[in-house]
Amino acid sequence: MHALKELETQLEKGRISRREFMRRAATLGLALAVAPSMFPLGAQAAQGPKRGGRLRVGMGGASTTDTLSPAVMTDMMIQTLVYGQLGNSLMEIDNEGRAVPELAESYEASADAATWVFRLRKGVTFHNGKTMTADDVIHSINLHRGEKSTSAAKAIVKPIKEIVKEDAYTVRMELASPNADFPYILTDYHLVIVPEGHDGTDGIFTGVYRLKAFEPGVRSLTVRNADYFRDDRGWFDEVETLAINDINARTNALKTGQVDLINRCELKTLRFLERTPGLQLIKQTGYRHYTFAMHTDAAPYADNNVRMALKHAVDREQLVKTVFRGYAVVGNDHPISTGNRYHAGDLPQRVYDPDKAKHYLKKAGMDNLKVGLHVADAAFPGAVDAGVLFKESAAKAGIDLNVVREPNDGYWSNVWLKKPFCAVFWGGRVTEDMMFSTAYADNAAWNDTNWKHKRFNELLVSARGELDEARRKQQYGEMQRLVRDEGGVIIPVFGMDIAAASSKIGLNKPAVNWELDGFRCAQRWWFKA
């Protein structure tokens, strides 16, 4: 009966499908006893996931510069395609925010968290028919390692000192220093597993869908992979993703039935969408935040007094009320959300203070300041309006902010990381180490402020391996303070991920590590009967 209870729990939480439940129950000799009670006539037919249909997604966050290479994915369309449909990592984040095995079957760590052993699932095949083994896993992780790597995940895998194949289905990873959160690192969407000798650009992965068509910045079409290693994912027959960067066009496509799902809703339309028959809103509160990134190695932002002046010139409350219509909370110029384990809630909240902004300008030897802020709604919904409001509030501090509106297409390749002051969207990361290592470590490929701080980088390594909870909290708290007071990023708000969908789409509680159920709506959601 204990085995039955465990199966029932897994079924109720959506961890196994009804078919898998019945298969395991039959193996245990329990099928006849449980079938009537677990699957009453009518109830399951109406409520449970059903296979079939083509999911049509209208996606904002697409570019003609998109590539299938996992190493350089930067925005939603390609992330939901490669990570959410085509590929898998060793670990994934579940709907409770936990790192759980995916292509790994199990794992264990040494007492000091410096050695990690991962046992791989057997029977996993790539889309080209090759069986996945330890060689493929080692090759895939190594694509992001080394001095010549240009991967955005280079910084987070740099602590891996050695990867050893213990047998065909066991991999041991030796770290340069202990990391208590290492399984979370392996959930990163860049770290999908590809066959040895491949780099992902050919679309060959292990995922629940196979690639049928792909036009960068235009459209993709995937079909269910009949050889997928689990049967509680991939409910749709096909998934068509259409690039619709214009938010009004995206909304109209949903209202007229041209698509079943859209991301990044226009906040001012939410009340209308909620009242529209046949539609539903899907809200996620997690780690998402919006920033204005300054290059700390370029004038005038190299002077921290100038950075502090700009940080005090933002009216955060006004942004929350107007641009984000209450679907956000004020940020405090560091990227760690209240949902993170070590959020520094004791840091004083930075507020709009034009007099203090003037004070810092004087410390920089300036009476006034004129700078350009590069924005596009591709950066985040409402980025252009946010820039205009920033301009108005900054003017009261003697700062002339020239809002430069950039094209949506190509924003992430032509503006981000290149312009010295621009709007940026961050999905955030489920652990402090992942967020800081990805965007604030001095060697991070996505360090979009070019910030280098010796003390911060020392703490980054130390906190990563600290096993004492109180000491670790103190270290991460200091890091948040350093970013807040000396970093090159303005983080005025943490936003809510809001998608809109046809009410015929069914889903369980979504994971909040990324938009659209951790990028995995296509494999976790279904059409209702």
Side-chain angles (χ1 to χ4, degrees):
M1 290 305 294
H2 175 75
L4 171 59
K5 192 67 176 176
E6 175 63 23
L7 283 180
E8 290 176 348
T9 299
Q10 292 188 51
L11 177 64
E12 289 169 0
K13 293 186 176 182
R15 295 175 181 168
I16 62 174
S17 65
R18 297 190 311 282
R19 185 172 71 177
E20 179 67 6
F21 175 90
M22 294 298 289
R23 185 187 69 77
R24 295 187 190 182
T27 301
L28 295 170
L30 299 168
L32 291 177
V34 302
S37 60
M38 290 302 296
F39 306 108
L41 291 176
Q44 285 298 322
Q47 298 174 14
K50 298 294 180 183
R51 298 220 181 267
R54 172 184 285 196
L55 175 68
R56 301 161 302 163
V57 185
M59 186 69 68
S63 175
T64 54
T65 59
D66 284 341
T67 168
L68 294 172
S69 169
V72 296
M73 293 187 288
T74 57
D75 209 352
M76 275 294 292
M77 182 169 177
I78 201 67
Q79 290 160 339
T80 55
L81 174 61
V82 173
Y83 183 73
Q85 300 176 41
L86 300 175
N88 305 103
S89 298
L90 285 180
M91 306 286 294
E92 70 171 337
I93 299 296
D94 70 6
N95 60 5
E96 299 296 334
R98 300 170 297 198
V100 297
E102 187 174 31
L103 290 180
E105 186 175 67
S106 63
Y107 65 91
E108 59 187 36
S110 60
D112 64 353
T115 300
W116 293 81
V117 176
F118 295 86
R119 292 178 178 81
L120 309 179
R121 289 181 183 270
K122 296 179 180 178
V124 175
T125 58
F126 290 101
H127 297 155
N128 62 358
K130 182 187 184 299
T131 298
M132 185 196 74
T133 67
D135 293 324
D136 303 302
V137 170
I138 293 171
H139 162 74
S140 299
I141 300 299
N142 282 339
L143 287 174
H144 308 275
R145 301 175 68 214
E147 293 304 317
K148 294 183 179 180
S149 173
T150 58
S151 170
K154 180 179 178 178
I156 64 172
V157 298
K158 186 176 182 180
I160 301 175
K161 182 173 62 176
E162 186 179 19
I163 307 180
V164 179
K165 173 184 174 181
E166 294 198 337
D167 60 45
Y169 292 98
T170 307
V171 174
R172 185 178 79 251
M173 300 191 193
E174 301 285 350
L175 308 185
S177 58
N179 187 341
D181 291 333
F182 187 64
Y184 285 89
I185 296 294
L186 298 179
T187 70
D188 187 86
Y189 59 83
H190 299 95
L191 304 181
V192 294
I193 305 303
V194 298
E196 188 175 15
H198 296 243
D199 63 2
T201 55
D202 54 11
I204 297 175
F205 300 95
T206 59
V208 66
Y209 296 100
R210 298 173 183 265
L211 187 65
K212 188 171 182 180
F214 174 57
E215 295 179 71
V218 180
R219 175 183 180 267
S220 69
L221 179 64
T222 60
V223 296
R224 185 190 299 127
N225 176 13
D227 298 323
Y228 195 54
F229 60 87
R230 55 191 296 181
D231 64 1
D232 61 341
R233 299 285 175 91
W235 302 103
F236 305 108
D237 291 332
E238 298 177 321
V239 180
E240 181 180 26
T241 307
L242 302 172
I244 312 177
N245 284 323
D246 182 82
I247 198 165
N248 294 319
R250 200 159 65 244
T251 303
N252 287 332
L254 177 66
K255 291 192 295 185
T256 58
Q258 298 175 62
V259 298
D260 307 299
L261 167 68
I262 63 171
N263 70 325
R264 300 181 181 177
C265 292
E266 176 81 65
L267 297 181
K268 65 185 179 184
T269 68
L270 289 182
R271 291 182 180 177
F272 170 78
L273 291 175
E274 279 188 305
R275 295 194 300 266
T276 301
L279 296 183
Q280 60 178 317
L281 294 184
I282 300 164
K283 304 174 185 178
Q284 297 177 199
T285 302
Y287 314 101
R288 175 179 185 157
H289 53 280
Y290 307 125
T291 81
F292 298 117
M294 301 171 277
H295 287 185
T296 58
D297 56 352
Y301 315 107
D303 188 333
N304 190 45
N305 288 308
V306 171
R307 304 198 295 267
M308 288 292 281
L310 286 162
K311 291 174 182 179
H312 284 93
V314 179
D315 192 335
R316 301 156 200 267
E317 294 286 354
Q318 185 186 33
L319 286 174
V320 169
K321 292 176 183 177
T322 57
V323 175
F324 300 103
R325 297 178 180 257
Y327 292 97
V329 295
V330 295
N332 204 18
D333 296 335
H334 67 75
I336 306 304
S337 85
T338 55
N340 287 102
R341 195 187 335 173
Y342 302 111
H343 172 76
D346 57 340
L347 286 177
Q349 174 62 54
R350 182 158 288 146
V351 298
Y352 175 52
D353 191 335
D355 290 333
K356 188 167 285 189
K358 291 178 182 178
H359 164 76
Y360 280 108
L361 282 184
K362 289 187 183 298
K363 289 187 69 174
M366 302 177 180
D367 292 323
N368 52 63
L369 173 68
K370 184 174 183 177
V371 293
L373 174 63
H374 299 263
V375 300
D377 282 339
F380 56 82
V384 174
D385 290 340
V388 172
L389 282 178
F390 190 1
K391 175 183 176 68
E392 293 174 358
S393 63
K396 297 176 182 178
I399 299 173
D400 182 1
L401 200 63
N402 178 33
V403 179
V404 182
R405 186 165 186 172
E406 301 281 359
N408 283 324
D409 187 51
Y411 184 85
W412 296 105
S413 56
N414 300 325
V415 178
W416 182 58
L417 298 177
K418 294 181 173 61
K419 301 296 184 180
F421 193 20
C422 69
V424 186
F425 154 79
W426 280 97
R429 298 296 188 272
V430 71
T431 71
E432 288 79 0
D433 181 64
M434 290 179 71
M435 187 67 243
F436 285 141
S437 296
T438 299
Y440 295 85
D442 60 6
N443 62 344
W446 285 0
N447 181 348
D448 56 11
T449 60
N450 299 332
W451 188 56
K452 298 182 185 298
H453 194 289
K454 182 179 178 181
R455 174 60 178 167
F456 176 88
N457 285 285
E458 290 172 349
L459 285 167
L460 183 63
V461 174
S462 177
R464 183 179 294 143
E466 180 58 63
L467 301 181
D468 180 272
E469 283 289 300
R471 175 61 179 160
R472 202 172 191 216
K473 181 178 177 62
Q474 185 274 326
Q475 290 173 326
Y476 281 127
E478 183 179 350
M479 293 167 73
Q480 289 166 70
R481 181 185 60 76
L482 289 173
V483 172
R484 174 185 181 271
D485 294 339
E486 300 181 41
V489 64
I490 302 170
I491 305 181
V493 298
F494 278 76
M496 181 183 292
D497 292 320
I498 306 176
S502 163
S503 58
K504 66 184 179 181
I505 287 179
L507 68 153
N508 294 312
K509 175 184 176 182
V512 300
N513 52 314
W514 305 109
E515 292 179 66
L516 295 178
D517 204 349
F519 292 155
R520 295 194 154 182
C521 59
Q523 62 172 286
R524 294 174 177 169
W525 300 1
W526 62 88
F527 283 133
K528 300 174 185 176

